[in-house]
Amino acid sequence: MEKSKKTTAAVSNPEVNIVWLKRDLRTQDHVPLKLAEDSALPYIILFLYEPSLIEYPDTSDRHLQFCYHSVKQMNETLTKTNQSVTECHGEAIEIFTYFTSNYSVQNVFSYRESGIKLTWKRDKAIKKILDSKGINWQQSQRDNVLRGIKNRANWDKIWYQTMNQVALTNTYSQKEEMTIDHPFTFPQEFKNILENYPNFFQPAGEKNGWKYLQSFVKDRGRNYNRHISKPTESRLSCGRISPYISWGNLSVKQASQFVVSNPNYRRNKRPFDGMLTRLKWHCHFIQKFEVECEYETDCLNPGYETMGYANKPEFLEAWKNAKTGYPLVDACMRAVIETGWINFRMRAMLVSFLCFNLDNDWRKGVYHLAQQFLDYEPGIHYPQFQMQAGTTGINTVRMYNPIKQSQDNDPEGIFIKKWVPELRDFPDRFIHEPWKATAIDLIDCGITLGEDYPHPIVDLKETAKVARAKIWGHRKTKEVRENKRRIVTLHTRNK
Ligand SMILES: Cc1cc2nc3c(=O)[nH]c(=O)nc-3n(C[C@H](O)[C@H](O)[C@H](O)COP(=O)(O)OP(=O)(O)OC[C@H]3O[C@@H](n4cnc5c(N)ncnc54)[C@H](O)[C@@H]3O)c2cc1C
């Protein structure tokens, strides 16, 4: 049992409300926390580490660590009022059964989760428990992601209306001290993992989210459009707020209002508008997933289920381990493994290379990148991954040529040399295509291809040609065309 405070409140099943935190780890612009504060009852704030989710293949330590340190930061604010987040390690069903048996829970307040099927099913089970006990579960809408819509009529209009509403200022009243006893303590080993958050990832929490946002509008963001596709420069010029938005350290409304209302906005209107457009995309993609969370496992356009792949395991391993022999591909994979972030274009290129050049089904790589992205957000990740893999049937198929990407966006090979140090001394003129170096060049820089750095594992031109014929050919099938109509109506029609 965890004993955190002085007196024991669980003796006679005291009346309480519960706030269930999910991807909303902040203290401001927080509707469920406001609802709890507005009620006369004391409330317990829960954050759960659920073994079934921790073990699921989309999750990695970095995600859990980010949550843990975000909660820590929330507690710095909340403890001033004798309140804190109660962190439990256990399955949601057991935890809610426990709390609803030991407390007289009146309401549960949370945001609505647009997650994977596992969390959707879990939420249904929790609803059953709460309903059976007559407990009201009020789920607030997150970032204008709407539940139960049949098409996108008026979605854009409602999004702008929501984003223009005043962001909530949460206030916290002084609380009576309350002991929250529960058996869901962390195993020591798990606690050690959570504590040891490597400092080469972006620091977690609300305060850090604001720091990144502030430095973007102050200075970094003026080159946003110019640098957005460049793997090195984008690290500075992009917003870099994605983990804070994904785990809810910042709401989309807070971020967009902050950018628009900043004095620098007028001076940097074009680049800042570029970033603001993407904040809308953030919600647009999650809306797709909210409607059909099967996109985690099924082709967005079911017509693509019959398209075959070679699925060679050795190619998949080379991609995952950044040993494909294509320097920019390998540099991107190493950068994202090491830091949790690469820009949009490089993410798209990694997927394109896996699915088109290496002829691997998107499902083979989708969890690997989910684990690496510190900003992993199911609602964006799966629809985006499929868009780049060409399985939506509604978007233009884009094949990214890693040599061209490298020449255009990393012309001097600065990014490549940082992340693929084997090539640090390689002559610049061959950095994008090391296999073209002459024997003398190779002796000169002391590199043996095939030993120090791999030969390219596939022929780029040949594989792209085959993939193009396959994907465009399949696009003409009856199944793909029929499903295309349905998808367009469901996800893209704006009235
Ligand atoms: C295969 C693939 C997987 C992706 N998976 C994720 C993911 O799991 N989580 C995630 O947040 N983004 C994902 N993205 C989108 C995009 O790459 C990241 O949002 C962006 O790189 C984050 O960097 P930033 O904060 O500097 O973004 P900025 O360019 O500064 O944009 C501001 C915010 O807008 C949103 N955004 C930006 N680009 C996109 C986009 N293309 N689609 C939807 N929202 C966008 C993000 O919330 C971002 O923080 C994915 C893209 C691809 C191609």
Side-chain angles (χ1 to χ4, degrees):
M1 290 284 205
E2 186 180 78
K3 285 226 184 268
S4 51
K5 305 262 171 64
K6 278 183 200 154
T7 55
T8 300
V11 180
S12 56
N13 284 6
E15 285 197 353
V16 295
N17 290 324
I18 287 180
V19 176
W20 182 8
L21 298 176
K22 294 172 163 196
R23 284 177 172 260
D24 46 290
L25 302 177
R26 63 178 179 277
T27 58
Q28 290 300 317
D29 195 30
H30 200 291
V31 178
L33 283 168
K34 166 99 171 74
L35 291 171
E37 272 289 328
D38 286 351
S39 157
L41 293 178
Y43 60 96
I44 298 170
I45 312 173
L46 290 180
F47 184 74
L48 317 185
Y49 298 86
E50 299 160 80
S52 54
L53 295 183
I54 294 170
E55 282 151 26
Y56 202 70
D58 64 341
T59 303
S60 59
D61 288 351
R62 63 188 66 178
H63 302 151
L64 302 166
Q65 289 162 333
F66 196 90
C67 291
Y68 177 75
H69 289 276
S70 297
V71 169
K72 244 188 178 180
Q73 228 171 71
M74 286 182 78
N75 280 338
E76 284 171 21
T77 305
L78 295 171
T79 44
K80 290 176 196 151
T81 60
N82 275 338
Q83 181 67 279
S84 64
V85 179
T86 301
E87 294 173 277
C88 298
H89 182 272
E91 294 301 340
I93 292 182
E94 289 161 21
I95 293 168
F96 273 94
T97 304
Y98 175 86
F99 277 96
T100 54
S101 307
N102 288 277
Y103 291 84
S104 174
V105 178
Q106 301 299 300
N107 298 284
V108 174
F109 301 119
S110 78
Y111 276 107
R112 213 183 269 149
E113 186 166 356
S114 306
I116 56 173
K117 208 179 257 175
L118 196 60
T119 56
W120 172 251
K121 280 190 184 156
R122 175 259 266 144
D123 281 359
K124 282 204 335 207
I126 297 298
K127 176 95 175 80
K128 236 182 181 172
I129 294 174
L130 298 179
D131 281 351
S132 73
K133 299 190 177 193
I135 299 167
N136 168 48
W137 183 6
Q138 189 165 337
Q139 297 186 67
S140 301
Q141 184 181 298
R142 176 185 160 216
D143 297 331
N144 197 55
V145 177
L146 311 175
R147 184 148 284 178
I149 59 169
K150 300 273 177 275
N151 59 45
R152 286 298 183 100
N154 290 325
W155 189 87
D156 272 27
K157 201 172 136 199
I158 302 169
W159 188 86
Y160 283 111
Q161 281 167 356
T162 308
M163 292 305 141
N164 285 329
Q165 284 162 8
V166 180
L168 268 183
T169 301
N170 289 82
T171 52
Y172 297 92
S173 57
Q174 203 65 29
K175 312 286 181 309
E176 293 267 321
E177 287 201 15
M178 178 164 72
T179 298
I180 299 161
D181 290 334
H182 66 80
F184 305 104
T185 47
F186 293 173
Q188 190 53 46
E189 203 183 319
F190 183 63
K191 175 109 181 162
N192 292 344
I193 291 172
L194 295 179
E195 282 287 349
N196 291 316
Y197 183 49
N199 62 9
F200 32 80
F201 296 133
Q202 287 178 245
E206 201 169 3
K207 274 188 210 150
N208 290 311
W210 283 106
K211 267 190 200 163
Y212 272 72
L213 196 54
Q214 275 156 358
S215 66
F216 176 80
V217 292
K218 189 173 169 217
D219 187 42
R220 291 192 294 112
R222 71 197 143 83
N223 289 318
Y224 180 81
N225 288 336
R226 203 169 336 137
H227 292 165
I228 191 164
S229 297
K230 299 185 185 303
T232 300
E233 293 85 339
S234 61
R235 299 188 83 81
L236 195 70
S237 300
C238 273
R240 303 298 308 272
I241 56 167
S242 50
Y244 307 107
I245 299 272
S246 292
W247 300 106
N249 293 162
L250 300 172
S251 70
V252 173
K253 187 194 281 177
Q254 285 178 312
S256 55
Q257 290 187 357
F258 184 79
V259 174
V260 173
S261 64
N262 193 275
N264 280 345
Y265 175 65
R266 283 177 63 192
R267 200 177 318 140
N268 295 302
K269 194 167 178 322
R270 282 187 72 173
F272 286 12
D273 279 348
M275 191 264 213
L276 290 168
T277 303
R278 284 165 180 85
L279 280 173
K280 182 156 156 275
W281 292 357
H282 173 100
C283 308
H284 161 84
F285 276 95
I286 299 177
Q287 182 67 65
K288 280 192 197 194
F289 201 65
E290 161 63 35
V291 174
E292 291 189 314
C293 69
E294 290 77 13
Y295 298 158
E296 178 204 350
T297 49
D298 304 350
C299 286
L300 211 143
N301 186 315
Y304 281 102
E305 292 296 350
T306 51
M307 192 170 74
Y309 296 88
N311 285 335
K312 284 194 181 161
E314 64 272 26
F315 284 180
L316 180 65
E317 285 314 300
W319 179 77
K320 282 185 181 173
N321 295 319
K323 293 200 166 137
T324 66
Y326 285 95
L328 188 62
V329 172
D330 295 339
C332 285
M333 189 59 89
R334 293 184 200 189
V336 76
I337 289 171
E338 193 75 19
T339 68
W341 192 87
I342 44 168
N343 66 9
F344 173 84
R345 177 69 64 92
M346 297 301 121
R347 296 183 195 208
M349 183 196 68
L350 283 181
V351 177
S352 162
F353 189 75
L354 173 76
C355 300
F356 300 135
N357 301 104
L358 301 186
D359 201 17
N360 259 265
D361 190 321
W362 61 272
R363 284 164 279 224
K364 299 281 175 190
V366 78
Y367 291 134
H368 175 73
L369 282 188
Q371 286 189 2
Q372 311 311 324
F373 293 154
L374 187 60
D375 59 25
Y376 167 57
E377 161 59 68
I380 301 177
H381 188 65
Y382 300 103
Q384 271 290 359
F385 209 102
Q386 291 214 45
M387 209 163 122
Q388 308 311 327
T391 53
T392 68
I394 56 165
N395 308 101
T396 307
V397 179
R398 289 210 173 87
M399 268 176 220
Y400 292 91
N401 176 330
I403 300 171
K404 184 171 184 312
Q405 289 303 318
S406 182
Q407 288 163 340
D408 290 352
N409 295 312
D410 186 30
E412 289 154 31
I414 292 168
F415 185 77
I416 290 172
K417 290 183 178 187
K418 176 170 171 64
W419 294 106
V420 186
E422 307 91 289
L423 298 178
R424 198 171 286 153
D425 299 324
F426 218 75
D428 284 356
R429 66 187 192 285
F430 297 121
I431 194 72
H432 312 290
E433 300 169 282
W435 55 92
K436 286 193 173 167
T438 63
I440 293 174
D441 287 316
L442 289 171
I443 291 166
D444 221 29
C445 62
I447 288 176
T448 308
L449 281 183
E451 280 179 27
D452 301 313
Y453 185 70
H455 290 293
I457 55 171
V458 288
D459 181 305
L460 208 57
K461 268 195 187 149
E462 191 52 37
T463 51
K465 195 172 141 198
V466 172
R468 215 170 282 125
K470 182 172 84 165
I471 198 109
W472 284 107
H474 207 83
R475 211 173 154 106
K476 292 185 192 127
T477 60
K478 192 164 160 260
E479 291 81 3
V480 170
R481 279 188 289 119
E482 278 177 3
N483 278 295
K484 183 178 167 183
R485 274 191 287 277
R486 183 188 67 82
I487 296 164
V488 168
T489 309
L490 189 58
H491 292 309
T492 64
R493 190 181 289 162
N494 287 312
K495 285 181 183 156

